[in-house]
PDB file of all heavy atoms in Angstrom:
ATOM      1  N   ALA A  33       6.621   2.776 -10.899  1.00 95.00           N
ATOM      2  CA  ALA A  33       6.502   3.843 -11.886  1.00 95.00           C
ATOM      3  C   ALA A  33       5.567   4.929 -11.333  1.00 95.00           C
ATOM      4  O   ALA A  33       4.591   4.649 -10.676  1.00 95.00           O
ATOM      5  CB  ALA A  33       6.016   3.386 -13.239  1.00 95.00           C
ATOM      6  N   MET A  34       5.875   6.235 -11.669  1.00 96.00           N
ATOM      7  CA  MET A  34       5.113   7.262 -11.101  1.00 96.00           C
ATOM      8  C   MET A  34       4.646   8.203 -12.229  1.00 96.00           C
ATOM      9  O   MET A  34       5.297   8.246 -13.308  1.00 96.00           O
ATOM     10  CB  MET A  34       5.945   8.133 -10.136  1.00 96.00           C
ATOM     11  CG  MET A  34       6.417   7.395  -8.881  1.00 96.00           C
ATOM     12  SD  MET A  34       5.065   6.817  -7.895  1.00 96.00           S
ATOM     13  CE  MET A  34       4.370   8.388  -7.320  1.00 96.00           C
ATOM     14  N   GLY A  35       3.510   8.856 -12.045  1.00 97.00           N
ATOM     15  CA  GLY A  35       3.021   9.705 -13.009  1.00 97.00           C
ATOM     16  C   GLY A  35       2.317  10.906 -12.456  1.00 97.00           C
ATOM     17  O   GLY A  35       1.908  10.899 -11.207  1.00 97.00           O
ATOM     18  N   TRP A  36       2.237  11.927 -13.243  1.00 98.00           N
ATOM     19  CA  TRP A  36       1.401  13.107 -12.916  1.00 98.00           C
ATOM     20  C   TRP A  36       0.256  13.184 -13.956  1.00 98.00           C
ATOM     21  O   TRP A  36       0.493  13.020 -15.144  1.00 98.00           O
ATOM     22  CB  TRP A  36       2.246  14.376 -12.936  1.00 98.00           C
ATOM     23  CG  TRP A  36       3.166  14.563 -11.802  1.00 98.00           C
ATOM     24  CD1 TRP A  36       4.495  14.248 -11.753  1.00 98.00           C
ATOM     25  CD2 TRP A  36       2.835  15.128 -10.554  1.00 98.00           C
ATOM     26  NE1 TRP A  36       4.987  14.591 -10.515  1.00 98.00           N
ATOM     27  CE2 TRP A  36       3.959  15.157  -9.753  1.00 98.00           C
ATOM     28  CE3 TRP A  36       1.640  15.697 -10.005  1.00 98.00           C
ATOM     29  CZ2 TRP A  36       4.049  15.619  -8.467  1.00 98.00           C
ATOM     30  CZ3 TRP A  36       1.663  16.145  -8.675  1.00 98.00           C
ATOM     31  CH2 TRP A  36       2.847  16.088  -7.942  1.00 98.00           C
ATOM     32  N   PHE A  37      -0.935  13.452 -13.421  1.00 98.00           N
ATOM     33  CA  PHE A  37      -2.082  13.654 -14.233  1.00 98.00           C
ATOM     34  C   PHE A  37      -2.724  14.951 -13.808  1.00 98.00           C
ATOM     35  O   PHE A  37      -2.380  15.557 -12.779  1.00 98.00           O
ATOM     36  CB  PHE A  37      -3.111  12.555 -14.066  1.00 98.00           C
ATOM     37  CG  PHE A  37      -2.630  11.183 -14.589  1.00 98.00           C
ATOM     38  CD1 PHE A  37      -1.673  10.479 -13.910  1.00 98.00           C
ATOM     39  CD2 PHE A  37      -3.104  10.728 -15.764  1.00 98.00           C
ATOM     40  CE1 PHE A  37      -1.168   9.217 -14.423  1.00 98.00           C
ATOM     41  CE2 PHE A  37      -2.665   9.549 -16.304  1.00 98.00           C
ATOM     42  CZ  PHE A  37      -1.711   8.800 -15.638  1.00 98.00           C
ATOM     43  N   ARG A  45      -9.692  13.342 -16.691  1.00 97.00           N
ATOM     44  CA  ARG A  45      -8.338  13.366 -16.176  1.00 97.00           C
ATOM     45  C   ARG A  45      -7.390  12.946 -17.321  1.00 97.00           C
ATOM     46  O   ARG A  45      -7.688  11.941 -17.981  1.00 97.00           O
ATOM     47  CB  ARG A  45      -8.176  12.393 -14.994  1.00 97.00           C
ATOM     48  CG  ARG A  45      -6.974  12.609 -14.163  1.00 97.00           C
ATOM     49  CD  ARG A  45      -6.975  11.805 -12.887  1.00 97.00           C
ATOM     50  NE  ARG A  45      -8.035  12.290 -12.002  1.00 97.00           N
ATOM     51  CZ  ARG A  45      -8.231  11.860 -10.722  1.00 97.00           C
ATOM     52  NH1 ARG A  45      -7.394  10.995 -10.214  1.00 97.00           N
ATOM     53  NH2 ARG A  45      -9.253  12.325 -10.062  1.00 97.00           N
ATOM     54  N   GLU A  46      -6.241  13.669 -17.435  1.00 98.00           N
ATOM     55  CA  GLU A  46      -5.369  13.328 -18.538  1.00 98.00           C
ATOM     56  C   GLU A  46      -3.931  13.188 -18.061  1.00 98.00           C
ATOM     57  O   GLU A  46      -3.487  13.806 -17.100  1.00 98.00           O
ATOM     58  CB  GLU A  46      -5.426  14.447 -19.589  1.00 98.00           C
ATOM     59  CG  GLU A  46      -4.964  15.808 -19.130  1.00 98.00           C
ATOM     60  CD  GLU A  46      -4.944  16.822 -20.228  1.00 98.00           C
ATOM     61  OE1 GLU A  46      -5.316  16.516 -21.348  1.00 98.00           O
ATOM     62  OE2 GLU A  46      -4.532  17.979 -19.978  1.00 98.00           O
ATOM     63  N   PHE A  47      -3.179  12.426 -18.780  1.00 98.00           N
ATOM     64  CA  PHE A  47      -1.779  12.186 -18.475  1.00 98.00           C
ATOM     65  C   PHE A  47      -0.999  13.450 -18.757  1.00 98.00           C
ATOM     66  O   PHE A  47      -1.171  14.138 -19.780  1.00 98.00           O
ATOM     67  CB  PHE A  47      -1.233  11.043 -19.387  1.00 98.00           C
ATOM     68  CG  PHE A  47       0.227  10.800 -19.344  1.00 98.00           C
ATOM     69  CD1 PHE A  47       0.772  10.076 -18.341  1.00 98.00           C
ATOM     70  CD2 PHE A  47       1.062  11.320 -20.286  1.00 98.00           C
ATOM     71  CE1 PHE A  47       2.151   9.876 -18.273  1.00 98.00           C
ATOM     72  CE2 PHE A  47       2.393  11.169 -20.259  1.00 98.00           C
ATOM     73  CZ  PHE A  47       2.946  10.428 -19.218  1.00 98.00           C
ATOM     74  N   VAL A  48      -0.056  13.716 -17.838  1.00 98.00           N
ATOM     75  CA  VAL A  48       0.930  14.878 -18.032  1.00 98.00           C
ATOM     76  C   VAL A  48       2.289  14.415 -18.211  1.00 98.00           C
ATOM     77  O   VAL A  48       2.938  14.763 -19.164  1.00 98.00           O
ATOM     78  CB  VAL A  48       0.804  15.820 -16.769  1.00 98.00           C
ATOM     79  CG1 VAL A  48       1.806  16.928 -16.876  1.00 98.00           C
ATOM     80  CG2 VAL A  48      -0.645  16.387 -16.658  1.00 98.00           C
ATOM     81  N   ALA A  49       2.804  13.568 -17.250  1.00 98.00           N
ATOM     82  CA  ALA A  49       4.196  13.081 -17.337  1.00 98.00           C
ATOM     83  C   ALA A  49       4.365  11.801 -16.526  1.00 98.00           C
ATOM     84  O   ALA A  49       3.569  11.561 -15.626  1.00 98.00           O
ATOM     85  CB  ALA A  49       5.087  14.157 -16.715  1.00 98.00           C
ATOM     86  N   GLY A  50       5.236  10.971 -16.980  1.00 97.00           N
ATOM     87  CA  GLY A  50       5.535   9.769 -16.286  1.00 97.00           C
ATOM     88  C   GLY A  50       7.041   9.517 -16.138  1.00 97.00           C
ATOM     89  O   GLY A  50       7.813   9.987 -16.978  1.00 97.00           O
ATOM     90  N   ILE A  51       7.391   8.670 -15.155  1.00 97.00           N
ATOM     91  CA  ILE A  51       8.812   8.387 -14.906  1.00 97.00           C
ATOM     92  C   ILE A  51       8.891   6.917 -14.462  1.00 97.00           C
ATOM     93  O   ILE A  51       8.080   6.428 -13.659  1.00 97.00           O
ATOM     94  CB  ILE A  51       9.418   9.355 -13.857  1.00 97.00           C
ATOM     95  CG1 ILE A  51      10.931   9.227 -13.806  1.00 97.00           C
ATOM     96  CG2 ILE A  51       8.738   9.227 -12.519  1.00 97.00           C
ATOM     97  CD1 ILE A  51      11.548  10.349 -13.094  1.00 97.00           C
ATOM     98  N   THR A  52       9.941   6.281 -14.881  1.00 95.00           N
ATOM     99  CA  THR A  52      10.158   4.867 -14.505  1.00 95.00           C
ATOM    100  C   THR A  52      10.651   4.760 -13.080  1.00 95.00           C
ATOM    101  O   THR A  52      11.052   5.764 -12.421  1.00 95.00           O
ATOM    102  CB  THR A  52      11.095   4.175 -15.458  1.00 95.00           C
ATOM    103  OG1 THR A  52      12.312   5.010 -15.530  1.00 95.00           O
ATOM    104  CG2 THR A  52      10.534   4.070 -16.868  1.00 95.00           C
ATOM    105  N   ASN A  57      13.942   6.848 -17.365  1.00 95.00           N
ATOM    106  CA  ASN A  57      13.100   7.192 -18.531  1.00 95.00           C
ATOM    107  C   ASN A  57      11.959   8.038 -18.173  1.00 95.00           C
ATOM    108  O   ASN A  57      11.257   7.777 -17.098  1.00 95.00           O
ATOM    109  CB  ASN A  57      12.602   5.890 -19.229  1.00 95.00           C
ATOM    110  CG  ASN A  57      13.727   5.169 -19.996  1.00 95.00           C
ATOM    111  OD1 ASN A  57      14.449   5.851 -20.751  1.00 95.00           O
ATOM    112  ND2 ASN A  57      13.799   3.893 -19.714  1.00 95.00           N
ATOM    113  N   THR A  58      11.657   9.037 -18.958  1.00 97.00           N
ATOM    114  CA  THR A  58      10.489   9.905 -18.704  1.00 97.00           C
ATOM    115  C   THR A  58       9.689  10.073 -19.981  1.00 97.00           C
ATOM    116  O   THR A  58      10.149   9.846 -21.114  1.00 97.00           O
ATOM    117  CB  THR A  58      10.918  11.313 -18.192  1.00 97.00           C
ATOM    118  OG1 THR A  58      11.788  11.859 -19.227  1.00 97.00           O
ATOM    119  CG2 THR A  58      11.645  11.237 -16.917  1.00 97.00           C
ATOM    120  N   GLY A  59       8.446  10.466 -19.803  1.00 97.00           N
ATOM    121  CA  GLY A  59       7.545  10.708 -20.949  1.00 97.00           C
ATOM    122  C   GLY A  59       6.591  11.815 -20.642  1.00 97.00           C
ATOM    123  O   GLY A  59       6.301  12.042 -19.504  1.00 97.00           O
ATOM    124  N   TYR A  60       6.146  12.495 -21.644  1.00 98.00           N
ATOM    125  CA  TYR A  60       5.367  13.745 -21.464  1.00 98.00           C
ATOM    126  C   TYR A  60       4.226  13.790 -22.452  1.00 98.00           C
ATOM    127  O   TYR A  60       4.348  13.320 -23.642  1.00 98.00           O
ATOM    128  CB  TYR A  60       6.220  14.973 -21.576  1.00 98.00           C
ATOM    129  CG  TYR A  60       7.339  15.042 -20.623  1.00 98.00           C
ATOM    130  CD1 TYR A  60       8.558  14.521 -20.894  1.00 98.00           C
ATOM    131  CD2 TYR A  60       7.105  15.640 -19.352  1.00 98.00           C
ATOM    132  CE1 TYR A  60       9.576  14.611 -19.976  1.00 98.00           C
ATOM    133  CE2 TYR A  60       8.152  15.711 -18.425  1.00 98.00           C
ATOM    134  CZ  TYR A  60       9.348  15.180 -18.730  1.00 98.00           C
ATOM    135  OH  TYR A  60      10.384  15.245 -17.750  1.00 98.00           O
ATOM    136  N   ALA A  61       3.148  14.371 -22.084  1.00 98.00           N
ATOM    137  CA  ALA A  61       2.084  14.754 -23.016  1.00 98.00           C
ATOM    138  C   ALA A  61       2.624  15.843 -23.975  1.00 98.00           C
ATOM    139  O   ALA A  61       3.413  16.690 -23.520  1.00 98.00           O
ATOM    140  CB  ALA A  61       0.824  15.256 -22.266  1.00 98.00           C
ATOM    141  N   ASP A  62       2.179  15.833 -25.154  1.00 98.00           N
ATOM    142  CA  ASP A  62       2.668  16.821 -26.164  1.00 98.00           C
ATOM    143  C   ASP A  62       2.412  18.243 -25.636  1.00 98.00           C
ATOM    144  O   ASP A  62       3.196  19.172 -25.987  1.00 98.00           O
ATOM    145  CB  ASP A  62       1.940  16.637 -27.477  1.00 98.00           C
ATOM    146  CG  ASP A  62       2.432  15.367 -28.206  1.00 98.00           C
ATOM    147  OD1 ASP A  62       3.508  14.811 -27.841  1.00 98.00           O
ATOM    148  OD2 ASP A  62       1.743  14.829 -29.064  1.00 98.00           O
ATOM    149  N   VAL A  64       2.724  19.549 -22.808  1.00 98.00           N
ATOM    150  CA  VAL A  64       3.627  20.104 -21.842  1.00 98.00           C
ATOM    151  C   VAL A  64       5.088  19.838 -22.177  1.00 98.00           C
ATOM    152  O   VAL A  64       5.967  20.295 -21.451  1.00 98.00           O
ATOM    153  CB  VAL A  64       3.278  19.485 -20.393  1.00 98.00           C
ATOM    154  CG1 VAL A  64       1.856  19.658 -20.058  1.00 98.00           C
ATOM    155  CG2 VAL A  64       3.700  17.997 -20.330  1.00 98.00           C
ATOM    156  N   LYS A  65       5.355  19.099 -23.246  1.00 98.00           N
ATOM    157  CA  LYS A  65       6.729  18.789 -23.531  1.00 98.00           C
ATOM    158  C   LYS A  65       7.528  20.004 -23.789  1.00 98.00           C
ATOM    159  O   LYS A  65       7.110  20.965 -24.481  1.00 98.00           O
ATOM    160  CB  LYS A  65       6.722  17.954 -24.873  1.00 98.00           C
ATOM    161  CG  LYS A  65       7.887  17.017 -25.088  1.00 98.00           C
ATOM    162  CD  LYS A  65       7.673  16.082 -26.225  1.00 98.00           C
ATOM    163  CE  LYS A  65       6.648  15.083 -25.911  1.00 98.00           C
ATOM    164  NZ  LYS A  65       6.429  14.080 -27.013  1.00 98.00           N
ATOM    165  N   ASP A  99       2.247   3.204 -10.041  1.00 94.00           N
ATOM    166  CA  ASP A  99       1.950   1.975 -10.735  1.00 94.00           C
ATOM    167  C   ASP A  99       2.833   0.901 -10.132  1.00 94.00           C
ATOM    168  O   ASP A  99       4.098   0.995 -10.232  1.00 94.00           O
ATOM    169  CB  ASP A  99       2.188   2.153 -12.255  1.00 94.00           C
ATOM    170  CG  ASP A  99       1.972   0.878 -13.026  1.00 94.00           C
ATOM    171  OD1 ASP A  99       1.499  -0.140 -12.374  1.00 94.00           O
ATOM    172  OD2 ASP A  99       2.264   0.831 -14.203  1.00 94.00           O
ATOM    173  N   SER A 103       8.309  -1.408 -14.731  1.00 82.00           N
ATOM    174  CA  SER A 103       8.407  -1.231 -16.214  1.00 82.00           C
ATOM    175  C   SER A 103       9.613  -0.413 -16.522  1.00 82.00           C
ATOM    176  O   SER A 103       9.975   0.433 -15.747  1.00 82.00           O
ATOM    177  CB  SER A 103       7.139  -0.571 -16.743  1.00 82.00           C
ATOM    178  OG  SER A 103       7.256  -0.188 -18.041  1.00 82.00           O
ATOM    179  N   GLY A 104      10.135  -0.683 -17.680  1.00 87.00           N
ATOM    180  CA  GLY A 104      11.300   0.029 -18.107  1.00 87.00           C
ATOM    181  C   GLY A 104      10.918   1.266 -18.930  1.00 87.00           C
ATOM    182  O   GLY A 104      11.822   2.011 -19.381  1.00 87.00           O
ATOM    183  N   THR A 105       9.632   1.467 -19.160  1.00 89.00           N
ATOM    184  CA  THR A 105       9.206   2.666 -19.898  1.00 89.00           C
ATOM    185  C   THR A 105       8.118   3.389 -19.047  1.00 89.00           C
ATOM    186  O   THR A 105       7.446   2.782 -18.244  1.00 89.00           O
ATOM    187  CB  THR A 105       8.568   2.218 -21.216  1.00 89.00           C
ATOM    188  OG1 THR A 105       7.528   1.359 -21.031  1.00 89.00           O
ATOM    189  CG2 THR A 105       9.671   1.470 -22.103  1.00 89.00           C
ATOM    190  N   PRO A 106       7.996   4.686 -19.297  1.00 91.00           N
ATOM    191  CA  PRO A 106       6.977   5.443 -18.583  1.00 91.00           C
ATOM    192  C   PRO A 106       5.571   4.911 -18.893  1.00 91.00           C
ATOM    193  O   PRO A 106       5.343   4.379 -20.000  1.00 91.00           O
ATOM    194  CB  PRO A 106       7.117   6.847 -19.117  1.00 91.00           C
ATOM    195  CG  PRO A 106       8.517   6.916 -19.609  1.00 91.00           C
ATOM    196  CD  PRO A 106       8.834   5.522 -20.156  1.00 91.00           C
ATOM    197  N   VAL A 107       4.671   4.991 -17.933  1.00 91.00           N
ATOM    198  CA  VAL A 107       3.324   4.456 -18.106  1.00 91.00           C
ATOM    199  C   VAL A 107       2.386   5.644 -18.446  1.00 91.00           C
ATOM    200  O   VAL A 107       2.257   6.553 -17.607  1.00 91.00           O
ATOM    201  CB  VAL A 107       2.895   3.748 -16.814  1.00 91.00           C
ATOM    202  CG1 VAL A 107       1.449   3.227 -17.011  1.00 91.00           C
ATOM    203  CG2 VAL A 107       3.859   2.600 -16.479  1.00 91.00           C
ATOM    204  N   PHE A 108       1.781   5.623 -19.616  1.00 93.00           N
ATOM    205  CA  PHE A 108       0.947   6.624 -20.084  1.00 93.00           C
ATOM    206  C   PHE A 108      -0.593   6.393 -19.771  1.00 93.00           C
ATOM    207  O   PHE A 108      -1.311   7.363 -19.701  1.00 93.00           O
ATOM    208  CB  PHE A 108       1.094   6.856 -21.531  1.00 93.00           C
ATOM    209  CG  PHE A 108       2.449   7.392 -22.001  1.00 93.00           C
ATOM    210  CD1 PHE A 108       3.531   6.532 -22.089  1.00 93.00           C
ATOM    211  CD2 PHE A 108       2.611   8.701 -22.285  1.00 93.00           C
ATOM    212  CE1 PHE A 108       4.768   6.984 -22.437  1.00 93.00           C
ATOM    213  CE2 PHE A 108       3.903   9.155 -22.690  1.00 93.00           C
ATOM    214  CZ  PHE A 108       4.980   8.287 -22.706  1.00 93.00           C
ATOM    215  N   ASP A 109      -0.926   5.116 -19.575  1.00 93.00           N
ATOM    216  CA  ASP A 109      -2.303   4.788 -19.451  1.00 93.00           C
ATOM    217  C   ASP A 109      -2.846   4.943 -18.054  1.00 93.00           C
ATOM    218  O   ASP A 109      -2.292   4.305 -17.124  1.00 93.00           O
ATOM    219  CB  ASP A 109      -2.483   3.287 -19.887  1.00 93.00           C
ATOM    220  CG  ASP A 109      -3.944   2.865 -19.966  1.00 93.00           C
ATOM    221  OD1 ASP A 109      -4.820   3.602 -19.532  1.00 93.00           O
ATOM    222  OD2 ASP A 109      -4.173   1.685 -20.414  1.00 93.00           O
ATOM    223  N   ILE A 110      -3.835   5.785 -17.891  1.00 95.00           N
ATOM    224  CA  ILE A 110      -4.361   6.031 -16.556  1.00 95.00           C
ATOM    225  C   ILE A 110      -4.881   4.812 -15.857  1.00 95.00           C
ATOM    226  O   ILE A 110      -4.807   4.703 -14.655  1.00 95.00           O
ATOM    227  CB  ILE A 110      -5.513   7.123 -16.685  1.00 95.00           C
ATOM    228  CG1 ILE A 110      -5.935   7.623 -15.311  1.00 95.00           C
ATOM    229  CG2 ILE A 110      -6.718   6.541 -17.436  1.00 95.00           C
ATOM    230  CD1 ILE A 110      -6.887   8.803 -15.352  1.00 95.00           C
ATOM    231  N   ALA A 111      -5.354   3.817 -16.652  1.00 94.00           N
ATOM    232  CA  ALA A 111      -5.893   2.629 -16.052  1.00 94.00           C
ATOM    233  C   ALA A 111      -4.832   1.716 -15.423  1.00 94.00           C
ATOM    234  O   ALA A 111      -5.195   0.829 -14.643  1.00 94.00           O
ATOM    235  CB  ALA A 111      -6.595   1.840 -17.128  1.00 94.00           C
ATOM    236  N   GLU A 112      -3.550   1.995 -15.720  1.00 94.00           N
ATOM    237  CA  GLU A 112      -2.494   1.157 -15.122  1.00 94.00           C
ATOM    238  C   GLU A 112      -2.106   1.553 -13.763  1.00 94.00           C
ATOM    239  O   GLU A 112      -1.417   0.851 -13.062  1.00 94.00           O
ATOM    240  CB  GLU A 112      -1.254   1.235 -16.097  1.00 94.00           C
ATOM    241  CG  GLU A 112      -1.506   0.694 -17.479  1.00 94.00           C
ATOM    242  CD  GLU A 112      -1.778  -0.781 -17.450  1.00 94.00           C
ATOM    243  OE1 GLU A 112      -1.150  -1.544 -16.657  1.00 94.00           O
ATOM    244  OE2 GLU A 112      -2.616  -1.269 -18.239  1.00 94.00           O
ATOM    245  N   TYR A 113      -2.492   2.752 -13.326  1.00 96.00           N
ATOM    246  CA  TYR A 113      -2.056   3.254 -12.063  1.00 96.00           C
ATOM    247  C   TYR A 113      -2.924   2.711 -10.952  1.00 96.00           C
ATOM    248  O   TYR A 113      -4.150   2.632 -11.075  1.00 96.00           O
ATOM    249  CB  TYR A 113      -2.058   4.759 -12.077  1.00 96.00           C
ATOM    250  CG  TYR A 113      -0.810   5.313 -12.833  1.00 96.00           C
ATOM    251  CD1 TYR A 113      -0.916   5.489 -14.284  1.00 96.00           C
ATOM    252  CD2 TYR A 113       0.322   5.648 -12.237  1.00 96.00           C
ATOM    253  CE1 TYR A 113       0.081   5.894 -14.986  1.00 96.00           C
ATOM    254  CE2 TYR A 113       1.453   6.094 -12.979  1.00 96.00           C
ATOM    255  CZ  TYR A 113       1.310   6.265 -14.336  1.00 96.00           C
ATOM    256  OH  TYR A 113       2.358   6.688 -15.007  1.00 96.00           O
ATOM    257  N   TRP A 116      -3.415   6.773  -5.937  1.00 97.00           N
ATOM    258  CA  TRP A 116      -3.629   8.178  -6.313  1.00 97.00           C
ATOM    259  C   TRP A 116      -3.553   9.028  -5.104  1.00 97.00           C
ATOM    260  O   TRP A 116      -4.006   8.659  -4.019  1.00 97.00           O
ATOM    261  CB  TRP A 116      -4.924   8.325  -7.000  1.00 97.00           C
ATOM    262  CG  TRP A 116      -5.045   7.689  -8.350  1.00 97.00           C
ATOM    263  CD1 TRP A 116      -5.317   6.401  -8.657  1.00 97.00           C
ATOM    264  CD2 TRP A 116      -4.752   8.335  -9.658  1.00 97.00           C
ATOM    265  NE1 TRP A 116      -5.249   6.169  -9.970  1.00 97.00           N
ATOM    266  CE2 TRP A 116      -4.938   7.329 -10.607  1.00 97.00           C
ATOM    267  CE3 TRP A 116      -4.392   9.625 -10.024  1.00 97.00           C
ATOM    268  CZ2 TRP A 116      -4.700   7.534 -11.947  1.00 97.00           C
ATOM    269  CZ3 TRP A 116      -4.196   9.877 -11.386  1.00 97.00           C
ATOM    270  CH2 TRP A 116      -4.353   8.824 -12.314  1.00 97.00           C
TER     271      TRP A 116
END
Side-chain angles (χ1 to χ4, degrees):
M34 298 296 295
W36 284 97
F37 291 76
R45 194 171 298 188
E46 64 176 4
F47 172 82
V48 175
I51 189 167
T52 54
N57 287 313
T58 58
Y60 299 91
D62 288 342
V64 306
K65 203 171 292 183
D99 177 7
S103 172
T105 58
V107 180
F108 293 79
D109 186 354
I110 190 171
E112 297 295 322
Y113 285 85
W116 292 85

